[in-house]
Amino acid sequence: YGEESFLVTLNGTTAAVGGGESVTFTVENVKPWSAENPTLYECNIVCNGELIVKRIGFRRVEIDNGVFKINGKKVKFHGVNRHESNPYTGATVTLEDTVTDFDLMKWANVDAIRTSHYPDMPEFYELCDVYGFYVMDEADVEAHGAVSCETGYKLEVWQKYANNGTFDDGVYDREVNLYERDKNATCVVIWSLG
C-alpha cells in the first residue's frame, strides 16, 4: 500500500513491484505443506537495502461432507492446548523454550496446537510452519478475570459481560488484529475467534 518499490523472489523467480502494485507468481508442481511433510518455499522481499525472508507453504483446508480435510486427506488431530509458559520465568518464554516444547510434542506424536487462550509470539507460527504443526489460532477474548472477581463462574454473569455491548469493540479489535497478523501463516488451519 506504500509508495516504495521492492523486489520479490519466490521459487527462483524475481519481480520488481512498484508502490501500490501487486505481483502474482505461479509455482509449478507444488509440494503441499502438511504436519507430516512441512514443505516450505522461500520468499525474499528486498526494499531499501532491507531483506525480509518469509517461508510460504501451500495447503488446502476444507470440510467435505462433515469431514475435516487438509490437502484432500481426512485429518484427525493429535493435539494439545499450549500456554506460553516456563516453570522459572512464567509467561516470559524464549525461542529456546518453544523449540524444547516442540521437540517434546514431536516425540509424543502431537501434530496440532491450540494457542489457548491468546495469540502466541509471531516466531511461534514460523516455527510451527517449519516443524509441521497444525494450529488453532485463538483470539484473546477471555473474560475470566472480570467475571471471577465479581462472582466466580456463574453463567448469568458471563452472559451479562457477553451481551451488554460494553466489550464489543475491544473484542472485535482483538479478533481482527489476530486474523490480519496470522492470515498468511501456513500452519493456521482453524480460527478460534469467539
Side-chain angles (χ1 to χ4, degrees), residues 34 38 45 55 91 118 131 140 167 171:
S34 68
I45 303 168
R55 294 182 183 114
Y118 44 81
Y131 270 75
D140 183 4
F167 303 104
V171 166

Side-chain angles (χ1 to χ4, degrees), residues 165-175:
T166 301
F167 303 104
D168 290 357
D169 290 343
V171 166
Y172 180 75
D173 184 62
R174 289 179 177 196
E175 292 168 342

Side-chain angles (χ1 to χ4, degrees), residues 6 19 29 36 47 73 81 90 99-100 115 118 130 139 152 162 179 181:
F6 53 95
N29 302 313
E36 300 77 25
C47 183
K73 296 180 181 176
N81 293 324
V99 168
T100 299
T115 65
Y118 44 81
V130 171
Y179 175 76
R181 186 192 76 170

Side-chain angles (χ1 to χ4, degrees), residues 54-96:
K54 177 70 180 154
R55 294 182 183 114
I56 298 171
F58 298 93
R59 49 106 181 105
R60 179 184 170 112
V61 178
E62 64 185 324
I63 298 175
D64 179 19
N65 213 14
V67 177
F68 191 87
K69 293 181 177 180
I70 296 177
N71 302 321
K73 296 180 181 176
K74 179 176 68 169
V75 173
K76 184 171 184 174
F77 295 123
H78 302 95
V80 295
N81 293 324
R82 180 182 178 271
H83 288 278
E84 287 191 314
S85 179
N86 177 296
Y88 303 104
T89 60
T92 303
V93 177
T94 66
L95 287 177
E96 291 79 16

Side-chain angles (χ1 to χ4, degrees), residues 8-11 25 41-45 51-56:
V8 181
T9 303
L10 176 65
N11 206 34
F25 289 92
Y41 296 82
E42 189 170 293
C43 177
N44 295 322
I45 303 168
L51 169 64
I52 300 169
V53 178
K54 177 70 180 154
R55 294 182 183 114
I56 298 171

